[in-house]
């Protein structure tokens, strides 16, 4: 039986339940079409359920369990309870008006991950941004939005960052292109504060930060930014997240994940060591010191 980690969010709970339902269906040699017929739904609906991309009606889960020959009351109740928990809104639900659906899924996965590895070429990773830097980045894409909306977007980003300091914090490993550190987002003072914050975060036991220096030339991350997510439950696949302007890609096929994992491993070898990277944060921060000082 698949079990969820304490505090796991609804996104990962849906994935857990969907994975369990898929296993039960395949063990009984039931087609997706027949499973869909049993709950008055389409084959594609079953596919989305098994991937954890839709919510679960308790009645549908109950009917599927009966179809799959699950009659033990203890096992049925465990899965039905998981369905009920998976339908509870995550903490980010209150930001639904400013959070697109394609990113809501990522926030849920991020909150449930045990390991987050990211490569960035444009901005400081969101989980490491200071409030001032985050506001400057958000204004780049939402400059005409009301101040109240900008404030809520900043607040959302700050709330996401709490996962790095919680009791069951994931391991966070970021590799950042040097160009990100030298791009003066928000101005010199904001950038200096951001770099000093990176140096401080690099001291945390669960945070590893590395810099790809200009001097290295070409490297394994030439294809652009991406994030790898790994979860405590080993039955869940690793997921590659690639953000676009108005959407995102979620890759979970083994061959796709392995390609990005290999690229990430090569980046880690090519990048400065964590200690040297921390020194670089402080060195570059001094470049942003006001000239009058």
């Amino acid at each position: 039986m698949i079990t969820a980690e304490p505090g796991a969010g609804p996104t990962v709970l849906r994935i857990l339940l969907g994975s369990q339902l898929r296993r039960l269906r395949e063990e009984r040699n039931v087609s997706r079409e027949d499973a869909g017929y049993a709950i008055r739904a389409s084959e594609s609906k079953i596919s989305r359920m098994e991937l954890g991309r839709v919510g679960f009606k308790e009645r549908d889960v109950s009917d599927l369990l009966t179809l799959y020959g699950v009659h033990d009351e203890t096992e049925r109740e465990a899965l039905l309870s998981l369905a009920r928990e998976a339908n509870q809104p995550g903490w980010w639900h209150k930001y639904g008006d400013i959070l697109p659906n394609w990113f809501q899924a990522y926030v849920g996965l991020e909150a449930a991950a045990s390991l987050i590895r990211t490569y960035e070429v444009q901005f400081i990773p969101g989980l490491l941004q200071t409030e001032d830097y985050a506001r400057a980045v958000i204004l780049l894409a939402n400059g005409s939005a009301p101040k109240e909306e900008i404030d809520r977007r900043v607040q959302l980003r700050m709330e996401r960052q709490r996962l790095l300091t919680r009791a069951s914090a994931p391991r966070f490993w970021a590799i950042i292109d040097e160009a990100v550190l030298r791009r003066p987002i928000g101005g010199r003072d904001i950038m200096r504060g951001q770099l000093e914050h990176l140096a401080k975060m690099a001291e945390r036991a669960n945070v590893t930060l590395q810099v790809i220096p200009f001097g290295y030339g070409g490297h394994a991350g030439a294809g652009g930014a991406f994030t790898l997510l790994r979860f405590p439950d080993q039955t869940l696949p690793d997921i590659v997240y690639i953000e676009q302007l108005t959407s995102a890609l979620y890759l979970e096929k083994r061959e796709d994940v392995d390609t990005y994992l290999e690229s990430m491993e090569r980046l880690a070898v090519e990048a400065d060591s964590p200690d040297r990277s921390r020194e670089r944060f402080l060195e570059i921060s001094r470049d942003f010191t006001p000239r009058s000082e």
Side-chain angles (χ1 to χ4, degrees):
M1 174 69 66
I2 297 176
T3 57
E5 289 289 304
T11 303
V12 79
L13 294 179
R14 288 197 299 269
I15 296 173
L16 283 165
L17 180 54
S19 176
Q20 184 75 338
L21 290 174
R22 181 175 65 249
R23 182 186 66 80
L24 291 169
R25 178 181 60 78
E26 291 174 347
E27 286 179 354
R28 285 284 175 161
N29 292 315
V30 176
S31 68
R32 288 193 180 94
E33 182 180 3
D34 289 341
Y37 182 81
I39 63 169
R40 303 152 297 281
S42 65
E43 179 180 351
S44 63
K45 171 70 176 294
I46 294 296
S47 178
R48 292 194 299 274
M49 289 175 65
E50 292 181 351
L51 291 171
R53 293 176 180 169
V54 293
F56 293 89
K57 293 181 180 179
E58 192 171 340
R59 174 185 171 184
D60 289 345
V61 174
S62 179
D63 289 347
L64 287 173
L65 293 177
T66 299
L67 178 66
Y68 301 156
V70 179
H71 301 296
D72 179 80
E73 286 303 319
T74 300
E75 185 176 2
R76 288 179 67 91
E77 179 51 35
L79 289 165
L80 290 171
S81 176
L82 191 57
R84 290 191 288 270
E85 292 179 39
N87 286 329
Q88 296 298 313
W91 64 263
W92 54 90
H93 180 73
K94 61 184 177 182
Y95 296 103
D97 58 319
I98 60 170
L99 200 58
N101 290 334
W102 55 266
F103 191 65
Q104 285 190 40
Y106 176 76
V107 175
L109 292 170
E110 177 185 74
S114 58
L115 172 63
I116 304 169
R117 300 182 69 179
T118 188
Y119 169 61
E120 277 291 348
V121 297
Q122 184 71 18
F123 301 114
I124 301 298
L127 293 180
L128 300 173
Q129 293 178 5
T130 65
E131 184 171 338
D132 288 339
Y133 182 95
R135 185 176 300 276
V137 170
I138 289 168
L139 282 168
L140 289 175
N142 304 274
S144 61
K147 181 181 181 300
E148 294 76 13
E149 179 182 326
I150 299 298
D151 289 344
R152 292 188 69 233
R153 289 182 181 276
V154 173
Q155 184 181 6
L156 167 62
R157 193 157 301 180
M158 296 300 102
E159 287 198 43
R160 281 175 55 207
Q161 294 180 4
R162 293 179 183 175
L163 71 88
L164 293 182
T165 56
R166 71 189 185 193
S168 57
R171 184 183 177 196
F172 182 72
W173 187 350
I175 300 176
I176 307 170
D177 194 280
E178 184 176 347
V180 175
L181 309 179
R182 296 190 178 277
R183 187 173 292 115
I185 301 294
R188 299 176 67 86
D189 288 345
I190 288 176
M191 201 64 211
R192 181 177 54 174
Q194 175 63 74
L195 289 162
E196 291 171 349
H197 178 66
L198 287 179
K200 183 177 180 180
M201 291 299 294
E203 297 176 349
R204 295 192 60 85
N206 63 314
V207 175
T208 301
L209 304 181
Q210 291 182 266
V211 176
I212 294 282
F214 281 145
Y216 196 85
H219 52 75
F226 63 94
T227 299
L228 277 161
L229 300 166
R230 180 165 294 172
F231 305 95
D233 195 302
Q234 295 183 359
T235 64
L236 291 178
D238 292 351
I239 291 177
V240 176
Y241 172 77
I242 304 172
E243 188 168 317
Q244 302 171 333
L245 282 176
T246 58
S247 63
L249 296 176
Y250 293 84
L251 308 178
E252 58 184 68
K253 290 183 179 178
R254 189 69 259 172
E255 57 267 31
D256 292 332
V257 173
D258 285 346
T259 297
Y260 280 91
L261 181 59
E262 180 181 355
S263 180
M264 187 70 82
E265 295 291 355
R266 288 172 56 195
L267 284 166
V269 172
E270 295 165 354
D272 284 342
S273 69
D275 287 342
R276 176 66 187 105
S277 295
R278 185 177 182 280
E279 292 173 1
R280 195 179 291 275
F281 297 145
L282 295 174
E283 290 170 2
I284 298 175
S285 74
R286 290 192 281 273
D287 293 341
F288 289 100
T289 300
R291 293 179 176 84
S292 60
E293 291 185 13

